[in-house]
Amino acid sequence: MVADGIRKSMETEGQWLTVARESSYPEAMMLIMEQVVGRKNLLDALKRVESNKGAPGVDGMTVESLRRWLGEHWQRIKAELLAGEYKPQPVRRVDIPKPGGGTRMLGIPTALDRFIQQAILQVLTPIFDPTFSSSSYGFRPGRSAHQAVSTARKHVEEGYRWVVDMDLEKFFDRVNHDVLMAKVARRVKDKRVLKLIRAFLEAGIMFEGVVQDHQEGTPQGGPLSPLLSNILLDDMDKELERRGHRFCRYADDCNIYVKSRAAGERVMKSLVRFLDRRLKLKVNLAKSAVERPWNRKFLGYSMTTHYKPKLKAAQAAVKRLKDKLREIYRRGRGRNIRRVIAEINEATLGWVNYFRLAQVKSVFEELDSWIRRKLRCMLWRQWKKPRTRAKKMISFGLEKERAWTSAMNGRGPWWNAGASHMNACVTAGWLHKQGLVSLLYKHQQFV
């Protein structure tokens, strides 16, 4: 057999992968499971799973205990994988709230299944990724959401000032297994790997102690899901390229840029038909639209109406941050202000880092002002009684008469937080000394 000859001649796992990708013999692609269980590949997969951490699956095994468990049981698991007999366990269902309302179902595989999925992912990525569209940015090596957003802005700058904003209806829940596996099988000939991937797709979902069948969809939460979604949607990418369209896709979030509303409506209609017939996917027409880019958001960003548009954080993203900060403020009543500020910084620094491409700075200035006012409001509530409020303001250096007048004004905490007496006492400089980091300042540092 050609495959046996290749296996004997290859001295390293890396060489096996090169042959598997480049050989003209279909038998070469039957070595994939050997790649998966190769020592270096497994060590890399274990390190990745350990670094990602994550919650236990239905068996309760933690990521921290996985390495020791594998030391005792791996030879049996390896034999099952090589024989094509390994059976994944059901995933644990967890419902998390979506930013726009409703919930999203996450399927959390066991630590062992995450480890095996990661090992498969590392072997399949070099096989599939080079064939993907250059307009696909989600969950790919060397690609990012920032690249997708920058490219989208460039398309608008070049005159494509209408966007077909596609929303696939419950994409991860509705993936047709037969359609997906047919596309995986185009390049993967190892029947053991194909059987295992289908087993992962069809693994039941454990919910409230009952295992439910899973005949469609690819639950979010497993390492393989992003690659499988890219494999499925690559046909749509190729169709858009064939038609000469400019587009950006990040996982199931796809924007196509055109020059007129009429063109956008034609594209929308034809894509709805293509996705239904070819990929068995439904477009959520209530959430999809043909619109101006500045009236929509893409990966949390929006843009201005200028002919050379500027990127900005979308209002929905600002609202989500404020909602998160409100929870911190609620928990902060009665707590030391430095601790509250430390929590605020933890939430805002990651946010401002993600939105470092934003060119409209007023959003950061407004957020800075809102955060300071919320902190002043929190302090006003903590001080409670007029006598305490007056003494606190005097200690901050406010004139005695003004402090007592302000403390007795009968207005609510939010009004007082924005009033001149609290701004004079709890200044931006004082809050900075307590550790508060300015979003505008941090944004300028990232830029």
Side-chain angles (χ1 to χ4, degrees):
M1 291 285 292
V2 175
D4 292 335
I6 292 172
R7 187 183 306 169
K8 291 176 182 177
S9 65
M10 293 298 98
E11 296 179 355
T12 68
E13 293 153 8
Q15 287 175 303
W16 286 8
L17 184 55
T18 301
V19 170
R21 288 202 308 264
E22 298 178 357
S23 174
S24 60
Y25 297 105
E27 292 93 334
M29 298 305 289
M30 297 176 69
L31 299 174
I32 291 178
M33 187 59 84
E34 281 73 14
Q35 291 279 329
V36 170
V37 300
R39 179 176 174 79
K40 183 179 184 306
N41 187 57
L42 292 174
L43 287 174
D44 290 344
L46 183 57
K47 290 176 184 176
R48 177 58 65 89
V49 170
E50 288 175 336
S51 67
N52 288 343
K53 299 181 180 179
V58 295
D59 62 353
M61 185 194 298
T62 64
V63 170
E64 291 76 16
S65 60
L66 176 62
R67 185 180 289 262
R68 184 174 59 185
W69 189 92
L70 288 172
E72 299 174 5
H73 301 278
W74 175 245
Q75 289 306 316
R76 174 178 60 82
I77 301 299
K78 179 180 178 180
E80 290 178 4
L81 290 168
L82 289 171
E85 297 173 352
Y86 180 79
K87 289 182 172 55
Q89 295 190 63
V91 298
R92 181 166 66 87
R93 173 174 166 174
V94 176
D95 293 321
I96 61 172
K98 294 171 68 174
T103 60
R104 174 183 288 115
M105 186 195 79
L106 286 185
I108 302 178
T110 63
L112 174 60
D113 285 340
R114 292 209 295 274
F115 166 64
I116 294 171
Q117 284 194 37
Q118 181 63 36
I120 296 171
L121 174 69
Q122 291 169 182
V123 174
L124 295 189
T125 295
I127 295 172
F128 283 97
D129 192 78
T131 69
F132 289 154
S133 167
S134 60
S135 297
S136 168
Y137 295 90
F139 308 106
R140 297 182 59 192
R143 289 178 165 262
S144 67
H146 284 162
Q147 291 174 335
V149 170
S150 295
T151 303
R153 193 205 65 81
K154 184 180 178 184
H155 290 331
V156 177
E157 182 179 342
E158 291 173 349
Y160 296 81
R161 295 172 68 81
W162 288 88
V163 62
V164 181
D165 188 353
M166 300 284 294
D167 185 277
L168 296 176
E169 189 173 282
K170 297 183 178 179
F171 171 73
F172 285 95
D173 298 336
R174 298 285 174 84
V175 170
N176 184 286
H177 291 170
D178 292 334
V179 173
L180 173 57
M181 290 308 303
K183 298 187 186 313
V184 176
R186 290 174 183 172
R187 303 182 68 82
V188 174
K189 305 304 178 185
D190 191 326
K191 292 183 179 179
R192 298 165 298 177
V193 174
L194 294 174
K195 180 181 176 182
L196 183 56
I197 292 174
R198 183 177 277 275
F200 278 124
L201 289 173
E202 295 179 351
I205 299 173
M206 179 74 78
F207 183 62
E208 296 182 347
V210 179
V211 178
Q212 304 170 346
D213 288 338
H214 195 232
Q215 298 301 319
E216 64 177 8
T218 167
Q220 298 180 73
L224 262 178
S225 291
L227 175 64
L228 294 177
S229 68
N230 277 334
I231 291 172
L232 181 66
L233 291 174
D234 188 55
D235 273 21
M236 181 181 73
D237 297 343
K238 295 296 192 291
E239 178 66 15
L240 291 170
E241 288 179 336
R242 186 185 68 78
R243 299 181 188 182
H245 288 307
R246 300 189 178 211
F247 69 98
C248 296
R249 183 176 67 78
Y250 192 96
D252 60 329
D253 200 345
C254 184
N255 278 5
I256 304 108
Y257 296 88
V258 295
K259 290 191 172 182
S260 69
R261 177 183 286 277
E265 289 173 349
R266 286 195 301 270
V267 170
M268 175 74 82
K269 186 176 180 179
S270 64
L271 272 183
V272 168
R273 187 166 55 248
F274 173 86
L275 289 166
D276 182 41
R277 293 179 180 177
R278 289 281 295 275
L279 302 182
K280 307 300 181 186
L281 294 173
K282 299 290 184 183
V283 175
N284 188 332
L285 296 177
K287 293 185 178 180
S288 302
V290 178
E291 252 295 0
R292 295 291 195 178
W294 43 88
N295 293 331
R296 306 293 288 185
K297 60 182 176 66
F298 180 52
L299 301 178
Y301 280 84
S302 187
M303 58 185 78
T304 65
T305 60
H306 301 93
Y307 280 102
K308 289 190 176 181
K310 295 180 179 181
L311 292 171
K312 63 179 183 178
Q315 282 302 309
V318 175
K319 181 181 181 301
R320 284 198 297 274
L321 176 63
K322 283 186 172 182
D323 289 343
K324 187 175 183 179
L325 293 176
R326 285 189 181 98
E327 286 299 316
I328 295 174
Y329 288 122
R330 288 190 190 101
R331 295 196 305 269
R333 293 175 185 174
R335 293 175 60 200
N336 180 280
I337 192 166
R338 284 182 174 271
R339 292 183 181 179
V340 177
I341 286 174
E343 282 191 57
I344 292 170
N345 289 340
E346 188 176 342
T348 58
L349 292 183
W351 190 90
V352 76
N353 180 33
Y354 179 76
F355 287 103
R356 64 180 181 269
L357 296 185
Q359 298 156 295
V360 178
K361 298 178 182 178
S362 59
V363 172
F364 302 102
E365 293 172 341
E366 290 166 7
L367 276 170
D368 276 342
S369 177
W370 183 84
I371 288 169
R372 290 193 296 266
R373 186 169 179 177
K374 289 292 286 185
L375 285 169
R376 294 182 185 114
C377 182
M378 188 186 77
L379 287 172
W380 188 264
R381 289 179 183 276
Q382 286 181 356
W383 297 342
K384 293 183 180 178
K385 297 179 180 179
R387 175 185 291 275
T388 306
R389 289 168 179 168
K391 287 183 176 180
K392 287 287 186 181
M393 286 188 283
I394 291 169
S395 71
F396 273 105
L398 202 65
E399 299 89 343
K400 185 176 181 180
E401 184 178 349
R402 186 183 175 192
W404 277 101
T405 302
S406 300
M408 301 295 291
N409 64 34
R411 300 273 192 167
W414 185 246
W415 184 90
N416 278 283
S420 60
H421 52 269
M422 281 299 284
N423 277 268
C425 294
V426 186
T427 63
W430 184 84
L431 289 170
H432 175 70
K433 288 180 181 177
Q434 309 312 304
L436 184 65
V437 176
S438 161
L439 273 70
L440 179 61
Y441 173 74
K442 202 65 185 178
H443 174 259
Q444 291 171 338
Q445 281 189 320
F446 284 128
V447 174

